[in-house]
Amino acid sequence: MQTVVVAPGEPERFWNRTPFRSYLFNAFSLLLPSGEQFVIRAMEGAAAHLPEGAPLKAEVAQFVREERAHQRAHRLYNAQLARQGYNAVALEARMEGAVQGLEQALDWRERLALAAALEYLTALVSRQALRGGGWLVHDASRQSNLWRWHCEEEVAHHGVALRLLREVGQVSYGRRLGLYVLASLILLRDVACHTWDFFRTDRAQGRLGWLAGVRSVADFGLRHGAGLARMAVGWLGYGLPLGRLAPPAHADLRADVAGIQVRLLQAQDIPRLLVLEHKKWNDGQAASAEAMAQRMAAHPRLCMGAFCPDTGEALASLFLKPISEEQLQRARTWADCAEIGGQGGSQPSRDLFGISLSSISPQGVEAIFAFFFPRALKAGWRQVYLGSPVPGLARWRQMEPHAPVESYVYATHRGAPLDPQLRYYWKKGFKTIVACRADYFPHPESLDYGVVLRGRIPLSSLAPLWRHMPLPWLRGMERCLARML
Ligand SMILES: CC(C)(COP(=O)(O)OP(=O)(O)OC[C@H]1O[C@@H](n2cnc3c(N)ncnc32)[C@H](O)[C@@H]1OP(=O)(O)O)[C@@H](O)C(=O)NCCC(=O)NCCS
Ligand SMILES: [Fe+2]
Ligand SMILES: [Fe+2]
């Protein structure tokens, strides 16, 4: 095992276990905003040739939404690289120039074929990254979270580009393979250039020497030989006929439970989420659009919503974030727990904090839980904490002016908590009271008290098993899991 030189105060520089593995993903990130822009334009241009009302049109629209979200996330990621002293701005600008050149040199069918090839290659790398013990460290760091989200979406949606190519963009077999080789060479060259540039920066700034750099590359070659061989086989797979290559359509990131559509939230959902938020919280309590956008940007896979498929109305929303034991211990108020980016510097954790749950439909909440559990198992989350109001407290206090608050919080009726909201969460599996805190959040019926509750994600102790199980199998267990709560 090699030693990694990490300057004090910079815990995230070599976030992916070794410098080389971190460089590799950072190198991809630099080419993503403009690369994805190329893919988006190629897909949108080609989709215009689809007949009106073709189901593939809706798939392309969803694909484009996902790519735009990736772009936004990677722009922030790259800005962070620039702040760390890497040459990110210049390298990104070079990529943008190269992409413009390609767009001018190719016609729309060729652009689509190149986009499909890039998508195929991205999915190939993504599968490798998601594999347990693979190229990507699976922990609670921001980079790991972002990459797991992005890679899962790439694996799920690359087929849209292949299907569009099959439907409207037929180029000859030779041209399709030619453009595929071109895409592979572009990726290889750019990733190698960026990796080299990162190394030069770290060497110049005395963070990494030649020996450690070479060791880090050798370590990757030795450990991931089998993965590289698998990639080589997958790479050759593009030679198959297009009909065999394009996987069938499936909406992997959405689930329809009892006719309710659940999905990961995106910025364009905010206006509808605000309507829901103001139905359930007063002005002092409701989250602002900025707060919602910040939660989504920081933890895109931990913000989800249930929507009415007919009207698009938001029925329920759930915002979560990773939280460390230390942050939880330190936090006095809801705002301390919910603070985005408050985990910095501490140990990665397997625990989540429920920032907020809002609902006007019990079925919406059920649908969100059913959507979330298989994904939580796959991601390896173990426990969820949340801060609940105790809305019966003010009324109880009038009858019991001198008794300690705890005697109400812990009071039960037929085994279940007396307070209606604690009972609500108790029925949903949040059975452990971790703390009862005064001045937790503004909530008059609760006299501003909050109760921190903990629930274990069912079956999460078998985490290593779930990580290797395909998501569709876990999704098959959705209802079962929801019932186990
Ligand atoms: C808590 C909440 C998410 C539950 O939504 P839901 O799943 O759609 O369920 P309902 O609102 O129909 O409530 C279900 C049950 O829980 C009880 N309950 C939940 N929250 C309650 C509260 N604040 N006051 C009184 N009862 C409450 C209800 O009495 C109801 O019981 P019933 O079925 O016997 O009538 C929703 O009421 C809400 O958004 N509340 C405001 C925001 C909030 O407090 N969020 C949680 C803190 S992060
Ligand atoms: Fe993407
Ligand atoms: Fe993609």
Side-chain angles (χ1 to χ4, degrees), residues 102-436:
L102 268 176
E103 282 186 328
Q104 279 157 13
L106 302 172
D107 71 23
W108 73 267
R109 283 175 207 275
E110 292 169 331
R111 287 200 291 272
L112 176 62
L114 188 62
L118 285 168
E119 281 297 301
Y120 181 88
L121 291 165
T122 316
L124 205 62
V125 177
S126 298
R127 262 190 223 106
Q128 210 49 52
L130 290 173
R131 198 173 267 277
W135 296 2
L136 180 66
V137 69
H138 287 214
D139 63 15
S141 72
R142 269 183 170 210
Q143 291 95 329
S144 171
N145 268 320
L146 173 97
W147 278 113
R148 273 181 288 163
W149 160 67
H150 191 165
C151 290
E152 276 176 31
E153 293 205 343
E154 288 304 327
V155 172
H157 82 191
H158 76 287
V160 180
L162 293 165
R163 282 195 291 281
L164 188 59
L165 183 63
R166 192 183 55 195
E167 293 296 312
V168 297
Q170 290 287 355
V171 288
S172 71
Y173 182 73
R175 180 148 296 206
R176 175 163 75 84
L177 287 200
L179 287 162
Y180 177 61
V181 173
L182 176 69
S184 310
L185 291 175
I186 292 175
L187 281 186
L188 213 59
R189 186 201 58 186
D190 291 338
V191 168
C193 275
H194 297 170
T195 302
W196 175 244
D197 209 288
F198 293 140
F199 173 64
R200 272 202 341 208
T201 304
D202 279 331
R203 201 168 65 86
Q205 295 176 5
R207 267 186 296 264
L208 195 67
W210 271 108
L211 192 61
V214 170
R215 262 208 241 137
S216 161
V217 179
D219 173 82
F220 183 81
L222 287 174
R223 275 172 201 266
H224 301 299
L228 289 167
R230 248 193 315 268
M231 282 268 297
V233 174
W235 189 83
L236 291 172
Y238 201 72
L240 286 171
L242 206 45
R244 297 267 314 274
L245 214 54
H250 63 293
D252 195 33
L253 284 162
R254 276 169 292 164
D256 288 301
V257 179
I260 293 172
Q261 198 193 66
V262 185
R263 60 171 185 267
L264 297 176
L265 295 173
Q266 295 179 344
Q268 69 257 28
D269 295 319
I270 289 178
R272 278 177 292 180
L273 294 170
L274 285 172
V275 174
L276 165 67
E277 190 80 4
H278 285 276
K279 275 184 197 154
K280 299 305 292 194
W281 301 97
N282 68 31
D283 287 351
Q285 299 163 336
S288 65
E290 291 73 37
M292 288 184 182
Q294 202 188 17
R295 294 170 191 170
M296 289 177 205
H299 307 293
R301 298 199 72 78
L302 296 176
C303 302
M304 54 222 105
F307 296 86
C308 170
D310 302 323
T311 61
E313 181 192 18
L315 301 174
S317 66
L318 174 63
F319 293 90
L320 298 152
K321 58 162 276 196
I323 196 161
S324 63
E325 185 65 38
E326 183 201 338
Q327 192 188 3
L328 204 71
Q329 294 288 333
R330 220 181 35 225
R332 305 309 313 160
T333 67
W334 172 85
D336 294 341
C337 294
E339 185 195 355
I340 295 291
Q343 210 198 340
S346 51
Q347 285 296 309
S349 104
R350 304 261 43 114
D351 298 338
L352 295 169
F353 180 74
I355 302 175
S356 127
L357 172 72
S358 309
S359 157
I360 50 164
S361 148
Q363 292 84 359
V365 174
E366 263 173 49
I368 288 190
F369 278 41
F371 172 87
F372 179 59
F373 284 131
R375 287 163 177 82
L377 284 182
K378 189 135 184 71
W381 299 113
R382 301 284 173 100
Q383 309 187 101
V384 182
Y385 291 87
L386 61 85
S388 173
V390 260
L393 183 62
R395 211 164 347 112
W396 175 84
R397 173 58 100 212
Q398 284 168 1
M399 295 179 294
E400 301 279 352
H402 304 297
V405 169
E406 280 76 8
S407 49
Y408 174 71
V409 166
Y410 286 92
T412 56
H413 175 64
R414 294 194 188 154
L418 200 56
D419 183 81
Q421 194 149 357
L422 292 182
R423 192 162 63 243
Y424 171 82
Y425 281 123
W426 186 84
K427 284 189 201 154
K428 295 219 172 291
F430 293 87
K431 299 202 174 175
T432 310
I433 295 179
V434 178
C436 168

Side-chain angles (χ1 to χ4, degrees), residues 36 67 70 150 154:
E36 291 183 317
E67 292 298 16
H70 302 166
H150 191 165
E154 288 304 327

Side-chain angles (χ1 to χ4, degrees), residues 69-92:
H70 302 166
Q71 274 186 308
R72 280 193 296 276
H74 282 276
R75 283 206 182 97
L76 293 173
Y77 184 116
N78 297 347
Q80 171 66 24
L81 290 178
R83 279 196 296 277
Q84 286 178 323
Y86 294 120
N87 210 1
V89 177
L91 293 173
E92 260 195 306

Side-chain angles (χ1 to χ4, degrees), residues 5-80:
V5 185
V6 180
E10 285 186 351
E12 291 183 1
R13 183 172 288 268
F14 300 133
W15 59 273
N16 196 17
R17 206 168 293 140
T18 71
F20 181 67
R21 285 169 39 132
S22 313
Y23 289 163
L24 213 53
F25 282 85
N26 292 352
F28 268 109
S29 182
L30 283 189
L31 53 89
L32 281 171
S34 36
E36 291 183 317
Q37 191 54 41
F38 173 85
V39 171
I40 289 171
R41 279 205 282 257
M43 294 284 284
E44 282 182 332
H49 297 268
L50 279 169
E52 212 41 59
L56 196 49
K57 264 196 186 234
E59 278 193 72
V60 172
Q62 174 66 18
F63 175 100
V64 168
R65 274 197 292 276
E66 289 173 9
E67 292 298 16
R68 285 203 206 290
H70 302 166
Q71 274 186 308
R72 280 193 296 276
H74 282 276
R75 283 206 182 97
L76 293 173
Y77 184 116
N78 297 347
Q80 171 66 24

